[in-house]
Amino acid sequence: MAYTAPRGTVDLLTEETAKWQKLEQILRTISDLYNVKEIRTPIFEYTELFNRSVGDTSDIVTKEMYTFEDKKGRSITLRPEGTAGVARAFVENKMFSIADKPVKLYYMGPMFRYERPQKGRQRQFHQFGVEMLGVENPALDVEAMCMAVTIVKALGLKNVRLVINTLGDAKSREMHKQALKEHFKPYLSELCYDCNQRFEKNPLRILDCKVDKEHEAMKTAPKTLDYLTDESKAYFEEVCALLDDLEVEYEVDPNLVRGLDYYCHVVFEVISDDPVLGAQATLGGGGRYNSLIEELGGPVTPGIGFAFGMERLTIALGASDDKEEDGLDVYIMPLGEKAISLSAQILAMLRANGFKADMDYLKRGMKAQFKTVDRMHAKFAMIIGEDEVAKEVVNIKDTSARSQETVKLEEIITYLESKMEG
Ligand code: AMP
């Protein structure tokens, strides 16, 4: 039997991981600029956490979770998203008592959703996300949106759009919910089973339906913007004014509701129309959540966050063609049995001095070893034959200048350092 990776998962081979490391580096650098610090939470949590926070009417919770019982019969779920775990850790570790607010956190890592695998959809995928906790201020919402846009631009993606909407506060949501119920009631028999479920539990979600999205009733449904309380309206207007002041371009889409239960006020998505991603790719999104921390047993703590799908961000990076950066500094070529011990010692010395180095272990001839030097893009080839061992010297070939010199053992490091500087 041939073993295969589970459906919906992929192996990231070495060239691909180089791209991921580059992406991770960019994400860490930008997080640092925004004073956002990394948090690492478990990859699995008790199932109840997701039911409670993501919401038991969401597609994620009803259809997509990897849930199993452990040996003690506890229900465990592989995390389908990152906010719930961060919020749980925030409460459990009493991070609400940190004096300087907002507490700004980022995470990155694998998430798991039992979806039908297709282009851009996997069952194990990765997200980078940011949560800013403890402050309710339109300026912070704008900071989160700016950070999201900065990331996408830093990756070189073009035609990036920031799309925003507001769901309003709890009172606005309640009024909107009633209006949605009245609106959808006559159409229930025409809408899918899930929409009928959502009608009872959370009618806002009907607007997120993938099955019925072309139904006439979707297009004529009441919009959140028409049911905002004065406070919610003022909050949203301030967000828009701040974005204008910062000259950040955005569009308001009154149909943007986002899938998760915990959102209120501002929700947003970053969409790219860059041809490398295909038509209209949603790279990520987020929004404000003001009751989640309380819901999980903490004190009233407003928050705003967003998450990006990292697979989509790596597409933007393209393949690395920086051979200089990827290549070795030195490849050691022992010729003959007696050269191996000295080669191993020099290899250890090179690495201890910060040179990226490797050697041949296959006891091959010179020609085969030089081919490896080429393939590894080594700057220097170090040739050590039995003669060199006896004379306590090595031959160093500069592969770009195609010149070769004999160097005493004790002078190897200074020789290479001066050559590399040059
Ligand atoms: P969500 O948490 O559903 O708002 O997703 C945020 C982002 O994560 C999306 O915009 C996608 O870029 C990415 N994403 C979500 N689900 C998947 C998946 N199954 N496979 C790959 N990327 C995903």
Side-chain angles (χ1 to χ4, degrees):
M1 160 193 169
Y3 293 102
T4 58
R7 188 164 146 77
T9 69
V10 295
D11 297 312
L12 297 173
L13 304 184
T14 56
E15 269 182 37
E16 198 63 16
T17 49
K19 223 157 80 175
W20 278 78
Q21 286 169 350
K22 199 162 138 191
L23 171 66
E24 287 157 12
Q25 190 52 51
I26 292 170
L27 294 170
R28 288 184 201 287
T29 304
I30 295 177
S31 297
D32 200 36
L33 291 177
Y34 279 79
N35 193 26
V36 180
K37 301 205 162 37
E38 185 177 8
I39 183 166
R40 300 187 187 193
T41 65
I43 279 174
F44 59 84
E45 298 271 359
Y46 290 125
T47 305
E48 183 50 29
L49 175 71
F50 301 112
N51 293 345
R52 192 69 194 264
S53 59
V54 180
D56 50 18
T57 60
S58 63
D59 277 359
I60 291 182
V61 169
T62 52
K63 300 181 199 158
E64 297 172 359
M65 294 207 301
Y66 275 91
T67 298
F68 56 94
E69 275 189 9
D70 71 5
K71 290 189 197 301
K72 281 267 166 69
R74 288 170 290 227
S75 183
I76 298 285
T77 293
L78 300 183
R79 63 181 187 193
E81 56 96 59
T83 304
V86 172
R88 197 259 318 129
F90 182 86
V91 174
E92 186 172 348
N93 297 287
K94 299 191 172 54
M95 293 173 80
F96 43 77
S97 53
I98 294 174
D100 294 309
K101 293 198 177 60
V103 176
K104 298 202 252 184
L105 305 167
Y106 79 85
Y107 59 84
M108 55 174 125
M111 306 292 161
F112 305 85
R113 293 185 196 172
Y114 195 82
E115 295 188 82
R116 200 170 64 79
Q118 49 188 299
K119 193 172 178 290
R121 292 246 151 234
Q122 293 167 196
R123 290 183 171 171
Q124 175 175 329
F125 63 102
H126 298 76
Q127 282 187 340
F128 165 84
V130 170
E131 313 295 345
M132 300 179 175
L133 292 147
V135 171
E136 181 170 19
N137 183 334
L140 188 67
D141 300 22
V142 168
E143 173 169 308
M145 289 185 236
C146 287
M147 184 175 173
V149 172
T150 302
I151 288 168
V152 176
K153 290 200 171 156
L155 296 170
L157 277 170
K158 302 193 182 64
N159 312 334
V160 178
R161 290 185 292 131
L162 171 65
V163 181
I164 70 173
N165 189 26
T166 177
L167 305 177
D169 55 16
K171 202 167 152 203
S172 320
R173 286 186 60 160
E174 194 49 44
M175 289 191 294
H176 185 221
K177 204 161 125 182
Q178 287 313 322
L180 285 169
K181 280 194 137 182
E182 275 163 39
H183 173 77
F184 282 116
K185 202 165 182 181
Y187 301 104
L188 279 180
S189 59
E190 295 166 31
L191 297 176
C192 73
Y193 172 81
D194 287 339
C195 279
N196 276 269
Q197 298 293 107
R198 292 171 186 134
F199 180 84
E200 291 304 331
K201 292 184 180 160
N202 189 353
L204 190 66
R205 276 203 194 290
I206 299 179
L207 300 175
D208 238 2
C209 182
K210 289 165 197 141
V211 180
D212 290 323
K213 64 179 177 212
E214 296 305 326
H215 194 286
E216 197 48 36
M218 294 290 184
K219 293 169 192 160
T220 53
K223 308 278 184 259
T224 51
L225 290 175
D226 298 327
Y227 295 89
L228 296 180
T229 57
D230 290 346
E231 294 83 18
S232 296
K233 207 173 194 162
Y235 194 95
F236 189 58
E237 281 169 1
E238 201 172 338
V239 167
C240 295
L242 284 163
L243 287 169
D244 292 337
D245 291 346
L246 288 167
E247 296 180 358
V248 177
E249 285 178 30
Y250 63 94
E251 297 161 25
V252 177
D253 175 358
N255 288 321
L256 181 68
V257 291
R258 310 251 336 130
L260 310 183
D261 262 357
Y262 46 63
Y263 287 121
C264 63
H265 285 296
V266 180
V267 287
F268 65 97
E269 283 188 348
V270 179
I271 296 171
S272 170
D273 301 320
D274 195 312
V276 297
L277 293 162
Q280 287 226 351
T282 302
L283 297 168
R288 178 159 278 288
Y289 48 89
N290 286 350
S291 53
L292 178 62
I293 298 295
E294 210 182 341
E295 192 82 19
L296 298 179
V300 180
T301 308
I304 176 141
F306 64 85
F308 278 114
M310 292 175 71
E311 276 73 11
R312 293 190 194 174
L313 297 182
T314 58
I315 295 173
L317 279 175
S320 167
D321 52 5
D322 196 344
K323 301 285 183 254
E324 290 281 300
E325 199 181 305
D326 296 343
L328 285 179
D329 294 324
V330 186
Y331 189 76
I332 304 179
M333 302 167 48
L335 299 170
E337 202 66 45
K338 290 196 179 124
I340 289 180
S341 166
L342 179 62
S343 296
Q345 289 171 53
I346 295 174
L347 183 60
M349 175 181 75
L350 288 173
R351 289 171 175 164
N353 281 276
F355 290 93
K356 187 167 156 182
D358 212 339
M359 68 178 265
D360 181 272
Y361 290 104
L362 294 171
K363 304 177 182 174
R364 297 177 299 170
M366 180 121 81
K367 207 168 151 196
Q369 294 200 38
F370 265 122
K371 282 194 176 150
T372 301
V373 169
D374 273 351
R375 284 192 292 263
M376 301 248 172
H377 304 286
K379 294 186 186 76
F380 299 95
M382 186 180 288
I383 304 123
I384 308 178
E386 296 187 358
D387 255 13
E388 284 75 24
V389 176
K391 292 182 187 150
E392 301 191 343
V393 295
V394 296
N395 291 315
I396 299 181
K397 180 171 174 178
D398 181 333
T399 56
S400 57
R402 297 180 176 276
S403 58
Q404 185 168 313
E405 286 181 82
T406 302
V407 179
K408 288 186 192 149
L409 293 188
E410 62 273 22
E411 287 167 7
I412 289 174
I413 298 296
T414 40
Y415 175 85
L416 286 171
E417 274 171 356
S418 70
K419 280 287 225 175
M420 297 263 288
E421 268 167 33

